[in-house]
Structures are given as C-alpha cells and as structure tokens.
Amino acid sequence: MLLARKQRLHRVKTALRARMSVRGASPQPVLIEEISAAGLDFLCDRGAQCRIMPEGRKVPGPVFGVHVDMVFSLPNSGRELHTRCRVLFCHRLSQDSYRFGCEFHQLDEDVREILEDFIRESL
C-alpha cells in the first residue's frame, strides 16, 4: 500500500499537447509539462492565462475556485482522455508564458488506470 501511495507522488516530465477550456469557452491549446496521478502542470500564453484567472485577479499566485476541462492523449494510449481539474496556482515564466498547477477534480476510473500505467512505465 505504501508503494502505491509513493507512486502517486511521482511527477513525469512530458511535452503533451492538450486542449484546455474554461467555463465552457472555446478550447485553448496548452502544453502539459508534468503529470502525476494527482494532477498536472501546463504551460500557456497570456491570452489563456487571462481566461483562467478570476475576474479582477490577473496576477500570478494561488488560485481559488477555478476549474478547467482538459483533453489530451498519452503516448501509446490510443484515446483522448477528458478530465476536469481544479487550478491551484499560476506562475509567470515570461511576458507571454505562464505555468498553471492543477489537481484532478473529476477523473474516471478507466482514465486513472491509463494514467497510472503511463506513470509507472515512465519511471
């Protein structure tokens, strides 16, 4: 049991193209930089950052009450994975580059298994 918990904490570096949408808006292209069984980090431009951050709060830092929908494929999975994520933080990397950290909020069991297999194989 302890080993299973420890594996959940492993973060895998990736460069996965994904589509992210906020509050039913049109999907925005983003790049998933790291993924774990608990969540993911993605990179985006300023336009996407402005759509994600709550009204009146455009500066990086902790984020509360924001969810995004993510669609992506893992290498060799053969299917698109859909999940809802709760946004935890935003870091500004440069003038037009931001990194968001998210935890999975809604993740179907079959998607979780595919994700855990990918992480295990990447270690």
Side-chain angles (χ1 to χ4, degrees), residues 64-82:
F64 302 100
V66 176
H67 292 82
V68 297
D69 294 312
M70 300 291 288
V71 178
F72 60 95
S73 296
L74 295 172
N76 304 321
S77 77
R79 76 180 257 209
E80 280 192 333
L81 306 180
H82 298 254

Side-chain angles (χ1 to χ4, degrees), residues 17-32:
R17 300 272 175 216
R19 295 184 314 274
M20 177 276 308
S21 59
V22 184
R23 297 179 281 281
S26 297
Q28 302 288 309
V30 298
L31 183 69
I32 298 175

Side-chain angles (χ1 to χ4, degrees), residues 4-67:
R5 274 195 197 148
K6 204 170 192 181
Q7 283 182 333
R8 290 182 190 268
L9 300 177
H10 281 77
R11 300 180 71 78
V12 176
K13 295 276 188 195
T14 66
L16 301 172
R17 300 272 175 216
R19 295 184 314 274
M20 177 276 308
S21 59
V22 184
R23 297 179 281 281
S26 297
Q28 302 288 309
V30 298
L31 183 69
I32 298 175
E33 188 178 55
E34 288 186 342
I35 197 164
S36 74
L40 55 83
D41 290 0
F42 67 88
L43 303 176
C44 66
D45 63 15
R46 181 164 171 69
Q49 186 262 355
C50 287
R51 287 181 209 46
I52 296 167
M53 296 297 281
E55 287 301 316
R57 171 114 196 297
K58 301 299 181 195
V59 295
V63 179
F64 302 100
V66 176
H67 292 82

Side-chain angles (χ1 to χ4, degrees), residues 77-94:
S77 77
R79 76 180 257 209
E80 280 192 333
L81 306 180
H82 298 254
T83 184
R84 175 160 281 213
C85 298
R86 183 169 69 100
V87 179
L88 302 175
F89 69 83
C90 171
H91 291 275
R92 182 178 176 186
L93 303 176
S94 69

